[in-house]
Amino acid sequence: VLCETEHRLCTPANMAAGGMAKDKLESLVLQLFEVGAVKFGEFKLKSGIISPVYVDLRVLVSVPPLLDLVAEALVAATSSCTYDLVCGVPLTALPFATLMSAKTGKPMLMRRKEVKAYGTKKAIEGVYTAGQTCLIVEDLVTSGLSVFETVAPLETEGLTVNDVVVLLDRGQGGRTNVETRGKALYSVTTLPEVLQILHTAGKVDDATRERVLQFIEANQVVVKQDDGGVYSAAKSDAPKAPAEHSFAERAKVSTNPAGRALFEIMEAKQSNLCVAADVTTSAELLALAGAVGKYICCLKTHCDVVSDWTAETAAGLRSLAQEHNFCIFEDRKFADIGNTVVHQCRDGYHQIAGWADFVNAHPLPGAGIVDGLKTAFEKAPKAGLLLLGQMSTKGNLITDAYTAATVDMAEANPDFVFGFISQKRLRSASGPDPFIYMTPGVKMEQGGDAMGQQYRTPESVVVGDGCDVIIVGRGVYAAADPATAAQEYATAGWSAYNKRMNSPK
C-alpha cells in the first residue's frame, strides 16, 4: 500500500488529537519506522508515478506488541463515537478491526471483496440486525475510495455508518471526500505528523521531508460517484489558493460590497478569524464582542437564541463593529421561499436586514431565495449573502451534485452572493477568486462532540483545503479568557494563511 499524504503539518500542541498522549504517539511512530512500516526513497506507484514515501502496515501482523498498540490507539481515537459493530476494510485493516472488537466487546463484521457465486452469496459476513450502527476501520486513507466500497454494502444491509477510523490520514483529500459525504473521519495520526516526529528524531533529513511534503501537495485526489452509484478516484485539478492571489488582490475582483469589505478587513487586521457568538443573553453577546473585537474580521451571531434581544442589542453590536472594524454575520441559514425570507430577514422581531452586514442561506429552495434576500436588503445596498455549499456535521445530506449547483447559483448572482460556507474551496479559478470560503467547526485539535459537530484545525482548513475564514465558537466563547483565546486563534489562522501564500505552487 503506497502512501502519499496531504500537506497538513501539525504542531506539538495537537499531536495527540487522535486520542494518544504526545509521548506515546512519538513512540508509536518511531516503532512503525523501525519495523519498516514507513520507508523513504523512490517507489513506483501503480499509476507509474514515483513516490518518495512508502507505507506498508501489513508488516504489523508479524509484530504482535505493535499491532496491539495500534489497536489501542484506534480505540482511543473513537472514544467519543457510539457504535454497535466494527467492520475492517479488507484486507490490511482486518487485524486492526479484530483486535478492536476483542478490546471493546463490539461484534465484528467482514466485507467480502468479491461476492461468491455459490454458498450464501453474502457480501457481509457476521451477525447483525438492520438499524445497528457500524464503525469502519481502515489502515490508512488517501482518497477514501475503499471506505465507500465498504460503506455501500453495509448500508444496503440496513446498517448505519456514521464514523470511520484510520491509523494514518495520508491527507490527499480523503478526509474531505469522506466528511463531505456525511461520515466523520477519525485518525490516530497524519503523514505530515509522522514526518515531523521522524525529522525531530533525526530519522528524516530536511530534503526528504520537503520532497515528501511537495509530493503530498501535488497529488490530491477526489472521489466521484456515477449515476449507477459506482465510486471512482482521480487526481484533483482543483487549485490550492495560488500564492499570488492575496486577500487584497481578491478584494479588487469582488463584485459585492460586503465581500470586498471582508477581504479588506482581513488584510488590514491580519486576521481571518470569525468568532461564533453562540451565547444566550444580550449582555453576554455585547461583552464577548467587545472582548474579541480587536482580533476578529467577523462576528457570527444567532439572534434568535438571545433571550432578551432588543433594538438596543443590535445598536450595541453595530457600535462595536464600527469601533473594532469587524463585520456582523447573522447565521440565520434561511431556507424558505422568496416571499417568506423577505419578511424573515427584513421584518419581524429581529429585523436582521437593519443591522447585519451579511447573512447565509440554503440554496435548496432555488434562485428565489437569493432574489428574496436581495429584496430584504434593498435599503442596505452594501449587504451580501453566503450560500451553504457544505456542512461540518456528520450525517448531513448534502451531495456533490448539490454543492455543484450551489456554486452555479453563486456564479449567477455575483453582485449579491460573495462566498460560501464550506469545508473546502469549491471553485477552480484561473485568476484571483472573488468568492470567500468560510469554514465552521474549527478548533486547535481535531475531534468531535456528542451532537455530530466535527472539528478541524486552522491549518487543515486554510492550508489543506484552501478555505479563507476560520469560524470558531466554543473554542473562544467558552474559554476562561475569550480575548486571549481569540488572539491565539487569530494568530493560528493568519499563520496558516501566510503558509498557504508561501507554499510551492
Side-chain angles (χ1 to χ4, degrees), residues 282-283 285-286 306 308-320 349-350 355:
S282 293
L285 177 60
L286 296 175
V306 178
D308 59 347
W309 182 278
T310 65
E312 286 71 27
T313 307
L317 280 178
R318 288 266 29 119
S319 177
L320 288 167
Y349 185 74
H350 293 101
W355 51 268

Side-chain angles (χ1 to χ4, degrees), residues 28-39 56-57 59-60 62-63 66:
L28 172 61
V29 169
L30 290 170
Q31 289 182 67
L32 291 172
F33 179 76
E34 293 300 329
V35 302
V38 182
K39 299 178 181 179
D56 182 7
L57 296 174
V59 70
L60 298 186
S62 298
V63 191
L66 185 51

Side-chain angles (χ1 to χ4, degrees), residues 3 303 326:
C3 172
C303 62
F326 62 78

Side-chain angles (χ1 to χ4, degrees), residues 26-198:
E26 292 173 346
S27 174
L28 172 61
V29 169
L30 290 170
Q31 289 182 67
L32 291 172
F33 179 76
E34 293 300 329
V35 302
V38 182
K39 299 178 181 179
F40 301 94
E42 290 190 355
F43 307 95
K44 190 174 184 179
L45 292 154
K46 184 178 180 180
S47 63
I49 296 174
I50 302 300
S51 167
V53 62
Y54 184 91
V55 175
D56 182 7
L57 296 174
R58 290 168 294 193
V59 70
L60 298 186
V61 298
S62 298
V63 191
L66 185 51
L67 181 62
D68 186 74
L69 181 59
V70 166
E72 290 281 4
L74 291 166
V75 170
T78 52
S79 60
S80 64
C81 298
T82 300
Y83 56 95
D84 306 305
L85 308 160
V86 297
C87 182
V89 175
L91 290 171
T92 307
L94 294 183
F96 300 168
T98 302
L99 283 179
M100 289 181 70
S101 175
K103 290 176 181 294
T104 62
K106 305 290 186 180
M108 176 180 161
L109 304 179
M110 290 197 301
R111 174 181 75 84
R112 285 186 175 273
K113 293 197 75 171
E114 295 181 1
V115 178
K116 303 298 183 182
Y118 53 85
T120 62
K121 302 179 182 179
K122 288 183 177 181
I124 303 297
E125 299 288 353
V127 179
Y128 56 88
T129 303
Q132 288 184 298
T133 299
C134 187
L135 171 70
I136 301 296
V137 182
E138 176 64 300
D139 58 335
L140 23 75
V141 64
T142 301
S143 67
L145 182 60
S146 61
V147 170
F148 303 132
E149 290 173 344
T150 298
V151 169
L154 290 169
E155 293 185 334
T156 297
E157 293 296 313
L159 296 168
T160 298
V161 177
N162 294 324
D163 304 303
V164 179
V165 63
V166 301
L167 175 61
L168 182 68
D169 175 7
R170 301 188 291 198
Q172 287 183 245
R175 176 175 298 280
T176 298
N177 291 332
V178 170
E179 293 186 344
T180 55
R181 288 171 173 82
K183 315 301 180 187
L185 181 70
Y186 298 85
S187 63
V188 173
T189 188
T190 67
L191 184 58
E193 283 183 308
V194 170
L195 282 169
Q196 182 65 42
I197 292 170
L198 294 177

Side-chain angles (χ1 to χ4, degrees), residues 244-284:
E244 67 271 16
H245 301 156
S246 66
F247 290 151
E249 291 169 316
R250 290 165 66 189
K252 294 176 182 177
V253 298
S254 176
T255 53
N256 172 263
R260 187 162 54 251
L262 183 54
F263 275 131
E264 291 170 350
I265 288 172
M266 288 193 288
E267 278 284 357
K269 298 181 72 172
Q270 295 194 357
S271 171
N272 55 345
L273 170 64
C274 172
V275 167
D278 300 335
V279 293
T280 59
T281 69
S282 293
E284 290 175 301

Side-chain angles (χ1 to χ4, degrees), residues 237-239 241-242 245 411 425-435 437:
D237 295 323
H245 301 156
E411 291 176 340
R425 182 161 293 208
L426 303 181
R427 299 174 72 249
S428 179
S430 57
D433 192 344
F435 290 98
Y437 303 87

